[in-house]
Every structure is written in C-alpha cells, then in structure tokens.
Amino acid sequence: MANLKRAAALTLSAAMFLQPMTASAATWGNIMSAIRNGQKYTDGKTSAEVNEQGELTVSGGSLDDGVIMRGDNDGFKWVSSIILKNIDVKWENASGVGIYVEKSGTDNQKYRFTVGENATVRGMVIINAGNQKTYSKGTEIELNIEKNAKIRMGNVQVNAINGGSVTSTNQGWIQGEYMGCADGADSTADLTNLEGGQIAALDIFARGENAQMTAKNEGSAGELLANALAGGATTATNDGDVSGTMSAEAYLDGKASLTNNGLADGGMGGYTDGGRVDLVNNGEVNGNMAVGAEKEGHVSADNRESGTVYGDLKGW
C-alpha cells in the first residue's frame, strides 16, 4: 500500500566558458551563476565545466546545498546533461533533498542526469518529468546511478507525471527505496536495478489511462512492489535476488504483472479489487505464491516448468 499512498500524494547550444569564476564555498547556486555568465567554475576543490555537447560535469569536493533545478531559469537552457563525479552532495537545508530536478512542457525536451562513480548524495533524489498542472508529453528525463555511487539517507524517486517520460538505471547503492511512477494519461516510466545494484526496495506504480510503468531487478533488492490503478499498467520482473516480499496489486481497472526469473526469498503475492494481477514464476520462490481477487477482479498464478515454489500455491 506504500505505493498507493504515494500516488495520492502525487495528485497534489552548448555553453562555452570564457574565464574561471572562484567562490569561497561550492554551491549549486554559484555553479549556475557561472554557467549563465559563460564561465568555468572552480573553488580549488570543486570544478564545473560544460563541453561543446552541452554536458556539464561537476567533480571534486562537495556541494553544500544540494542540486535543485526547476524550469528554464535554473540551467536547462544552458545544459542538456549533468554528470556528478567524485563529489559529496549534501542535502538542501532541512528539506532532506539532495537532488531535485523538475521539467515540464511539450517541447520535445530530453535531459540526462548522472550520479557518477564515487559520487555520494546525502538525502533524497527526486526526478520529475512533468507536473500535475502541465501536460508534458515530449518531456523526457533520464537518471543513471553508476557503479560505486551512493545515495545515503533517502529514497530515489523517478516520476513521469501528466504525459512525461522517465528512464533510470542503478548500479550503485541506494540506502532507501528505488521508486518510480507513471502518473497520469500517456505517462511512461522505466526503471532497472542493474547487476551489482543494491536497493532497499523497488517500489513502482502506474495510474491513469495509457500510463505505462515497467521495472526490472537484476541486482539485489529488499522488496519488489508493483501496483496499478485507474487504467494504468505496471510490469515488473525479477532477474536477480529479492530478499523479502514480491507483490503486485491492482485497483480500478489497473493491470499489474509480476514475473520472477531469479530468487524471491520472501514469497510472491498478488491482490486485486476491480483490476487484473498476473504472477509468473520461472525461478525460485522461497515461500508461498498466493493471489486473491474481489469485485470482479481477475488474478492468475503460473508456476512454470522451470519454476520452483517452496511453499503453497494459493488462490481465493
């Protein structure tokens, strides 16, 4: 149900540098100021530079106020890609947010954000392609968390809202949950926890007609939670190890599909109230594989020839 609570809450050019700019402390505001003035930024430990392709690389030292980008005024018009490397990003004031990126509109905009090797983010990471006020089909944001990158003291949320599109991969370590949603008609989202990636949970949902959410775990996850409602469709696959529960839920004509090709060490479960849930096992389920339905909902549980369930196959 954690995903459904979050769903309710959600209803709510290349730049060339002319000369270096120095500052007493590295902050995102100082870096953006340098970019607007066509300058390279350095404070002795932290440097920021844009190449001819519009890729901004920020490396070394630390950022004391997080990374906050909203709309054109905060750098989108100057850069198309941001890479953080060998840097410690601290959260912004008391908000608990280490990185916050939001872009909306229908101008076929594509952006990429990379938490690179040996980068540490202390706080939540929130990526929003679209918002509840602006239809945003054509806005695409990609988030990649690379090997040896760490997200401490917070979840990673990658959200496609009101027609937006997001893709994300993780090969690092996320102390909290790796969360994603396709929230609103025509929204699309895709998350992959790659081999070597470690997360507390892969937690996803789709809501709205033609909203499409897909996710795959190839690494290690504490849980895999897939939900769909109000006509949305969610497809989740485990090719790695899930130490806890794998579950799928669907409501109000939502469709959720959950497939295990690896190890589900805490069992598999599915429930629907007016939607459809399908479970498929081709791997190992260490526990029960159980499904239940109410109010004309449809459920299925298919333990295939290559699959093993060390428990009961149940339905109600």
Side-chain angles (χ1 to χ4, degrees):
M1 297 298 292
N3 250 324
L4 302 182
K5 292 179 180 178
R6 189 160 63 92
L10 277 168
T11 301
L12 313 169
S13 210
M16 297 301 293
F17 293 112
L18 302 178
Q19 61 186 21
M21 177 177 178
T22 61
S24 58
T27 68
W28 189 249
N30 289 339
I31 290 172
M32 286 294 99
S33 179
I35 289 173
R36 294 187 188 98
N37 290 307
Q39 299 171 319
K40 178 179 178 179
Y41 175 89
T42 179
D43 75 342
K45 294 182 179 179
T46 304
S47 64
E49 186 171 9
V50 173
N51 65 19
E52 293 182 357
Q53 289 72 46
E55 297 172 334
L56 169 63
T57 299
V58 184
S59 62
S62 65
L63 289 176
D64 294 338
D65 62 346
V67 175
I68 310 296
M69 292 186 69
R70 299 183 184 94
D72 291 333
N73 292 334
D74 282 333
F76 286 108
K77 65 174 63 175
W78 292 281
V79 299
S80 60
S81 174
I82 296 173
I83 303 168
L84 303 176
K85 295 178 11 179
N86 303 306
I87 193 167
D88 189 357
V89 179
K90 301 174 183 179
W91 67 35
E92 189 245 347
N93 297 322
S95 67
V97 176
I99 296 174
Y100 183 91
V101 177
E102 180 180 308
K103 185 65 178 158
S104 61
T106 56
D107 298 329
N108 293 318
Q109 309 162 104
K110 297 183 180 181
Y111 304 95
R112 180 183 294 112
F113 202 104
T114 301
V115 182
E117 189 169 359
N118 297 319
T120 297
V121 179
R122 302 176 189 276
M124 292 184 291
V125 176
I126 301 174
I127 307 293
N128 291 337
N131 57 46
Q132 296 295 341
K133 296 181 180 180
T134 307
Y135 184 66
S136 297
K137 191 173 181 62
T139 295
E140 301 179 19
I141 302 180
E142 177 181 335
L143 170 69
N144 297 308
I145 302 170
E146 295 185 342
K147 186 177 181 180
N148 295 326
K150 297 180 176 65
I151 312 297
R152 297 183 178 276
M153 300 180 290
N155 299 325
V156 174
Q157 300 180 26
V158 189
N159 306 313
I161 305 170
N162 202 7
S165 177
V166 292
T167 60
S168 179
T169 63
N170 172 61
Q171 201 173 15
W173 177 71
I174 300 173
Q175 187 172 13
E177 295 188 3
Y178 189 27
M179 309 169 78
C181 77
D183 188 23
D186 303 320
S187 302
T188 61
D190 181 83
L191 273 64
T192 301
N193 185 46
L194 296 168
E195 184 176 359
Q198 300 177 60
I199 57 178
L202 183 57
D203 189 356
I204 59 172
F205 76 87
R207 176 176 63 176
E209 291 299 324
N210 203 35
Q212 303 285 330
M213 176 79 234
T214 58
K216 180 183 289 187
N217 175 53
E218 299 173 352
S220 300
E223 294 181 297
L224 200 167
L225 310 172
N227 294 306
L229 63 160
T234 296
T235 301
T237 304
N238 175 46
D239 290 339
D241 294 341
V242 176
S243 60
T245 301
M246 287 183 61
S247 72
E249 297 181 14
Y251 303 87
L252 302 172
D253 296 321
K255 297 179 181 180
S257 171
L258 184 60
T259 300
N260 176 51
N261 300 316
L263 173 63
D265 209 22
M268 291 183 73
Y271 171 79
T272 183
D273 187 346
R276 181 185 180 101
V277 168
D278 296 300
L279 304 185
V280 175
N281 178 49
N282 298 302
E284 295 184 29
V285 177
N286 191 11
N288 296 329
M289 186 176 180
V291 290
E294 292 185 89
K295 293 184 180 179
E296 300 182 355
H298 176 88
V299 291
S300 69
D302 184 3
N303 182 41
R304 296 183 176 172
E305 184 176 354
S306 59
T308 302
V309 177
Y310 298 102
D312 296 329
L313 191 63
K314 298 180 177 181
W316 58 273

